[in-house]
Amino acid sequence: MVYLENPVLKLYLNLIGWVTLGFILGRLLPRSYSTYLAKFLFFFGTPLSIVAFIRSANLSGAIWMAPLIAWAAILAGGGLAGILINFGVGEERFKSLNPAQNSPEHTSAWSLPTQGSFLLATMLGNTGFLGIPVTLSLLGSEHFAWALFYDLLGTTMGMNILGVAIASHCGKSDRRQGWLTPLQAIFQNPALWAFGLGFISRSLPLSAQIAELLTTGAWTVITLALITIGMQLSKLNSLHNLKPVLACLAIKMLFIPLVIGTGLTFFGIAGAPRLVLVLQMAMPPAFGTTLLAEAFNLDRELAVTAIGLGCVSLLFTIPIWMRLFNF
């Protein structure tokens, strides 16, 4: 990573630089390369970085509030999205629920699959591959656990439980999953086991050489995560459904972080922990929403457009949160 005195400038150089490199590689290399890299990070790289950073993270205070805040943001985003769907669609919404009325003159732009993608993009953010690197770059590893708890116990669980339920309900797929499938996905997540290993190993001393090697490897993983994001963005070439996407991003990246972030002060959460939570809430929609859209035949174009515009918007929203919630 590039080391500079100004953390925001350092973050922007790393975000733009490594993501741009990933974008170029994604255009030059077959799609399978980004898939292989993402799988490497999921099964090995991310668990390694979790073990490394959790050893030096500060686990004191009200850190267990992080997943509760995550679920509050997820549910609030879903609630506001549902209200917007109802007010924005009106009677058209019910036509999309009744296949018999889906003649050309009655087809609604807000079909049930479109509503599903809109809900998922508004509720679930990229708190892993993007939120954690942003947090580490701006605030260091001391407050890493707040971002990790938010991601693992909030976004990841929300994606596998609530996200799958919404996608299954709104999708056109015949695919059905039992209630155990999302739970299996959570407990088979290597990041969850790495968190436990990192927590247990906090009391085990390491030699200076091993500790330095572990830290270097962890920061290398962060760099690879940013490159992976660029490679994934290079495959996104859709720019449709701008009105619902802008509404989605306004809720997900502006309204929810502002309201809940302001309310955190009344619960005794301030300073760096509050900024970490606000940054996690303000992340653009998760790439996992496109996977759910593809698996359950939701509106993939809406999900793709929301991710692309959200990643660009992040460059403009980070200074807002730094100014409002910095300490």
Side-chain angles (χ1 to χ4, degrees):
M1 303 289 274
V2 179
Y3 291 96
L4 297 171
E5 291 297 328
N6 189 316
V8 178
L9 180 59
K10 180 181 74 172
L11 170 65
Y12 273 57
L13 288 176
N14 283 307
L15 280 179
I16 296 174
W18 293 118
V19 171
T20 300
L21 175 61
F23 188 92
I24 295 172
L25 292 175
R27 288 292 188 181
L28 297 176
L29 300 175
R31 179 185 292 269
S32 59
Y33 280 66
S34 64
T35 302
Y36 294 147
L37 182 55
K39 288 182 177 180
F40 167 78
L41 292 174
F42 180 78
F43 288 106
F44 179 75
T46 300
L48 172 67
S49 66
I50 289 174
V51 171
F53 290 129
I54 203 67
R55 286 178 56 85
S56 60
N58 182 4
L59 299 182
S60 62
I63 194 171
W64 290 99
M65 286 287 291
L68 298 180
I69 300 302
W71 276 96
I74 290 171
L75 295 176
L80 290 173
I83 292 173
L84 193 59
I85 287 172
N86 284 318
F87 277 94
V89 178
E91 295 181 358
E92 294 290 324
R93 173 177 180 273
F94 299 99
K95 296 174 185 177
S96 67
L97 295 175
N98 185 357
Q101 295 185 10
N102 282 340
S103 58
E105 65 271 20
H106 290 103
T107 299
S108 170
W110 285 77
S111 64
L112 197 57
T114 297
Q115 295 177 41
S117 289
F118 183 76
L119 284 168
L120 293 176
T122 309
M123 297 167 68
L124 302 167
N126 192 343
T127 56
F129 279 176
L130 193 53
I132 286 178
V134 168
T135 299
L136 287 170
S137 297
L138 292 177
L139 299 168
S141 61
E142 181 181 358
H143 305 287
F144 167 75
W146 285 87
L148 183 62
F149 276 47
Y150 190 106
D151 177 58
L152 282 182
L153 303 181
T155 303
T156 300
M157 291 185 65
M159 180 75 73
N160 286 294
I161 296 178
L162 201 54
V164 169
I166 292 173
S168 179
H169 172 72
C170 296
K172 300 176 182 177
S173 175
D174 293 332
R175 178 179 175 180
R176 294 292 181 265
Q177 299 194 27
W179 65 273
L180 283 176
T181 302
L183 295 180
Q184 289 174 346
I186 292 172
F187 287 106
Q188 290 174 356
N189 189 338
L192 185 63
W193 296 100
F195 170 74
L197 178 61
F199 182 80
I200 295 174
S201 67
R202 283 169 61 89
S203 59
L204 300 178
L206 296 177
S207 65
Q209 293 82 0
I210 295 178
E212 183 178 357
L213 183 63
L214 192 62
T215 302
T216 302
W219 280 105
T220 301
V221 167
I222 296 300
T223 300
L224 290 176
L226 295 177
I227 293 175
T228 303
I229 290 174
M231 295 178 73
Q232 292 173 329
L233 285 175
S234 70
K235 309 303 180 184
L236 308 182
N237 50 21
S238 171
L239 200 62
H240 298 83
N241 303 306
L242 281 180
K243 287 186 178 180
V245 165
L246 292 177
C248 160
L249 297 181
I251 296 172
K252 173 72 185 67
M253 299 182 66
L254 292 175
F255 185 78
I256 294 294
L258 178 62
V259 174
I260 297 183
T262 302
L264 290 178
T265 307
F266 299 98
F267 291 92
I269 300 177
R274 181 180 63 176
L275 181 57
V276 170
L277 296 176
V278 169
L279 290 172
Q280 287 289 67
M281 284 185 277
M283 286 299 110
F287 280 101
T289 58
T290 61
L291 301 180
L292 290 176
E294 290 176 351
F296 293 93
N297 291 322
L298 301 177
D299 190 336
R300 186 180 183 276
E301 285 192 348
L302 188 148
V304 166
T305 306
I307 291 171
L309 289 182
C311 288
V312 174
S313 301
L314 182 66
L315 298 176
F316 300 95
T317 57
I318 286 178
I320 296 176
W321 308 125
M322 291 293 293
R323 176 169 290 274
L324 291 179
F325 296 103
N326 207 354
F327 49 95

